[in-house]
Amino acid sequence: MVIVFVLVAVLVLAVVVTANWYVWRRLFRDTTRGPGLTRRAGAVLIAGGWALAIGALVAERSGAPFWLQQVLAWPGFLWLALSIYLLLAVVAGEVIRPLLHRFLEHRARRTNGAPRPGPAPTTGEPAATSRPGAAAATVPGSPVGRTPATDPQRNGSGTAAPTATRPADNTGTTPAPATASQSGGAGGATAAAATAAAPQPASDAPQAPAAPPQPDHGAGALTAAPSAPQANGGGVTHAPAPASQPAPSRSTTGSATAPGPQADPAPGAPEGSPRSAAGPTGPSRRLFVSRVVAGAAAAAAVGTVGYGTYGVLRGPKVKRVTVPLAKLPRAAHGYRIAVVSDVHLGPVLGRGFAQKVVDTINSTQPDLIAVVGDLVDGSVKDLGPAAAPLAQLRARHGSYFVTGNHEYFSGAGQWVEEVRRLGLNPLENARREMPYFDLAGVNDVAGEDEGQGPDFAKALGDRDTARACVLLAHQPVQIHDAVEHGVDLQLSGHTHGGQLWPGNLIAAGANPTVAGLDRYGDTQLYVSRGAGAWGPPTRVGAPSDITLIELASKQA
C-alpha cells in the first residue's frame, strides 16, 4: 500500500512539474529572444507561487500560528487558482496559434505579392516598344523573339555588349547604318560612338537627343552610343530598344545585371530602404505570435481569477427554490428554510464575511435556518471572534447546525459547543419535531475516524413516518441512507458546485448531485453551492449562494 501511495505521489508531482514547465515555456521562454532577466523572473514567479501555495496548505493543516496562516493564505491560495487558469488559457492558445500564423502569412503574401511596374519579360516574348511603328531588329544568330537589349552579344572577352538604338520615326524610314569600330583583347572591347544620317520626316518632327556616352568603369567595361551597330559574325544590324527599358546595372567585372522588381522594405526600416519580398522573417513572426498568445492567456487568467475572487468577497446571493412535499400539511404551505453551507471562515474569510452572510440570511426572514456543515477552517481559539456574528441569526423556529468534514479537521467537539453558545442548535444524529414536519440531522462521514460518524437509525429510527421529514446532512453521498429511512427532503452542501471550473466535472464523479434539486425515489435532494470558498477565495462557474427553500403542500 505504501508503494502504491509513493508511486501515485511521484506521478502527481511529475504532472505538476511538467505542467508548470509548459506554462513557463509558453509565457516566458517563447516570448523572449534568449536567456535573460525575463526568463529568470518567470521561473522565480512560478516556483515561488507554488512554494507559497504549499506553505499555505501545510500551515492550515498543521495548526501553525494564525498570523502565519494569514500571511501565506492570500498569495498562496490565489496562486493555486491562477495557475489553473494560466494552464487552461495556454492550452487554449494552442488552437489560436496556428490560426494567427496563417493569418499573418496570408497578409504578408497579399501585401508583398502585389504586382509592381517593371521591365518587359526577358525571355519567351518580344519586348514592347514605346513608340508606334517602331520595329525591333533581331541579331542574327540569336533566339527568335529575343532582343539585343535582353540577349546581348558576346565579344572576345566573353562580356555582354549592350546595344543602343535609335527608334524609327513616324514615316517608317529605316535609319541608315553607321560605322562602328570594335576591338577585342584581354582588356575587353569598346564600342565607338557613331552617328547615323536618317531622312527627316515630312512633318519635320524633332529628333530625340543622343544619349551621352557612358564612362568606362574598368577593364572589360562597356560603353555604347545611340545607334551603335552590333557586330555578329560578318553582319551589322540595328534594333531599336524600348524607350521605357531601364538601363542595366553594371558591376566592376563588366557583367550586365538585368533590372528586377523592387522588394518591400523590412519592417521598421527607414523610408527609401530596399523592400523585402519575403516580409517578416520566420522567427520574428513566431516571436510576435508567441507574445500575442501569451499576453492574451495571461490577461484571461488574471481576469478570470480576479472576477471570481470579487464574486466571493462581495458575499453570497439569495437563491429561491420551491420544493413540494406530499406529506406536508396545508398549514405549512410556504414554509421558508434558509440553507447555508460551506462558509469556510478561516485565514482568508473572516469576521467581515461572516457578517455579510448573517445579514443576507436575516434579510430573507426565514422560518428556520439550516447550517449544513463546513462552517470553519480553524480552531475556536483562532476563529471564535470571526464566528461571533452568528449570534445575530434570527428565525421564527430557530437555527440548526450539523458538522461537515472540515469541522473534524478543526476540532469538531469544540465547535459544537461554540455554536451552541452562539445560539444555534447542533443536531448530532438527532431529530426535532417541528410544528409541521420532523427535522433531523446526522454527523458527517468524516467523523467515523473519531467514532462520531453518522447514525441514521438513531436520528430516524423511531419517528412517525406519516409526517414529512427534512434531513440535514453535509455530504450528498448520504442520500442513499436517507432513501432507506423514508426521508422526504435532504439538505446538503460540500460540493461548492465545483467552485473552480472545470472542478464541477471532478465533483460530479464523487457526488450523486453537484448542485441544485434532484430526486432519488421518493426522496428529494437539494445541494447548495455554499456561501464561501475553500482554499482560493475564488469561484468560477459556481457562484456562491444562500438558498431559501420554500416548502409547498400538495394539499394547498
Side-chain angles (χ1 to χ4, degrees):
M1 187 65 183
V2 175
I3 296 178
V4 174
F5 177 79
V6 171
L7 290 176
V8 171
V10 170
L11 177 62
V12 170
L13 180 61
V15 170
V16 171
V17 170
T18 302
N20 281 275
W21 175 84
Y22 169 68
V23 170
W24 173 84
R25 174 187 171 184
R26 284 307 194 195
L27 294 185
F28 298 100
R29 197 192 77 171
D30 291 354
T31 58
T32 53
R33 296 185 182 275
L37 180 61
T38 301
R39 293 187 180 183
R40 291 194 293 269
V44 170
L45 174 65
I46 294 176
W50 277 100
L52 289 171
I54 295 173
L57 291 170
V58 172
E60 180 182 300
R61 286 290 178 265
S62 63
F66 193 63
W67 65 266
L68 180 60
Q69 296 183 41
Q70 291 178 307
V71 168
L72 296 175
W74 272 103
F77 287 141
L78 282 177
W79 174 256
L80 279 177
L82 185 60
S83 63
I84 292 173
Y85 290 103
L86 281 174
L87 177 60
L88 293 176
V90 169
V91 170
E94 300 299 341
V95 178
I96 305 299
R97 191 180 303 271
L99 299 179
L100 186 56
H101 266 297
R102 291 180 183 177
F103 170 77
L104 293 176
E105 291 174 357
H106 175 73
R107 189 177 68 172
R109 286 197 302 267
R110 185 177 58 185
T111 302
N112 300 328
R116 292 186 177 85
T122 58
T123 59
E125 54 185 89
T129 59
S130 60
R131 294 180 58 188
T138 60
V139 178
S142 64
V144 177
R146 185 175 296 179
T147 64
T150 59
D151 187 33
Q153 299 299 315
R154 298 273 175 185
N155 58 20
S157 62
T159 57
T163 62
T165 61
R166 181 177 180 180
D169 57 23
N170 292 335
T171 62
T173 306
T174 303
T179 62
S181 65
Q182 185 175 11
S183 62
T190 304
T195 58
Q200 296 295 326
S203 59
D204 199 16
Q207 295 293 328
Q214 298 295 329
D216 190 357
H217 292 280
L222 302 176
T223 59
S227 303
Q230 290 288 340
N232 185 14
V236 178
T237 60
H238 287 274
S244 60
Q245 179 78 18
S249 61
R250 295 170 175 81
S251 66
T252 56
T253 61
S255 60
T257 304
Q262 294 295 318
D264 292 333
E271 185 176 358
S273 300
R275 302 171 68 89
S276 171
T281 61
S284 296
R285 185 178 294 120
R286 286 195 297 270
L287 184 63
F288 173 76
V289 170
S290 294
R291 288 176 176 176
V292 169
V293 174
V302 172
T304 299
V305 173
Y307 184 77
T309 303
Y310 166 75
V312 171
L313 298 181
R314 72 182 175 186
K317 294 185 176 181
V318 176
K319 181 180 179 181
R320 299 176 184 271
V321 177
T322 300
V323 179
L325 297 180
K327 300 177 184 178
L328 191 69
R330 172 182 284 184
H333 184 75
Y335 192 91
R336 297 186 302 276
I337 303 176
V339 181
V340 58
S341 73
D342 302 281
V343 179
H344 287 287
L345 299 178
V348 175
L349 302 178
R351 184 185 181 106
F353 184 76
Q355 188 65 58
K356 290 180 181 178
V357 171
V358 169
D359 292 342
T360 303
I361 293 173
N362 288 340
S363 69
T364 65
Q365 299 181 343
D367 297 305
L368 184 145
I369 298 172
V371 181
V372 290
D374 280 6
L375 175 64
V376 292
D377 282 309
S379 65
V380 173
K381 175 185 176 182
D382 293 332
L383 297 176
L390 295 175
Q392 304 171 20
L393 289 173
R394 297 290 181 267
R396 182 160 61 111
H397 293 148
S399 303
Y400 294 85
F401 169 82
V402 293
T403 57
N405 55 311
H406 282 248
E407 271 74 46
Y408 293 97
F409 304 150
S410 309
Q414 295 180 4
W415 276 112
V416 167
E417 294 302 320
E418 180 65 15
V419 297
R420 182 179 283 115
R421 187 185 69 82
L422 294 173
L424 282 74
N425 301 291
L427 292 175
E428 298 181 277
N429 298 324
R431 182 181 75 252
R432 292 285 183 91
E433 293 186 357
M434 309 303 293
Y436 309 111
F437 58 89
D438 290 341
L439 179 68
V442 293
N443 295 343
D444 186 71
V445 294
E448 292 177 349
D449 295 337
E450 302 180 12
Q452 301 176 14
D455 190 337
F456 285 85
K458 181 180 177 180
L460 302 167
D462 57 349
R463 74 177 192 88
D464 182 2
T465 56
R467 287 168 57 88
C469 179
V470 176
L471 173 68
L472 309 184
H474 177 64
Q475 297 197 35
V477 295
Q478 296 172 286
I479 183 62
H480 305 295
D481 291 309
V483 172
E484 292 179 3
H485 289 82
V487 171
D488 296 280
L489 173 63
Q490 176 178 317
L491 302 176
S492 299
H494 183 65
T495 67
H496 297 208
Q499 185 168 334
L500 297 173
W501 184 92
N504 58 309
L505 302 178
I506 300 175
N511 297 275
T513 299
V514 175
L517 185 64
D518 212 341
R519 176 178 287 275
Y520 296 85
D522 293 331
T523 303
Q524 297 182 80
L525 169 64
Y526 180 79
V527 180
S528 170
R529 288 191 294 254
W534 177 77
T538 310
R539 284 176 172 264
V540 177
S544 58
D545 66 56
I546 292 171
T547 305
L548 186 66
I549 298 288
E550 186 171 319
L551 301 180
S553 172
K554 293 187 177 181
Q555 303 173 16

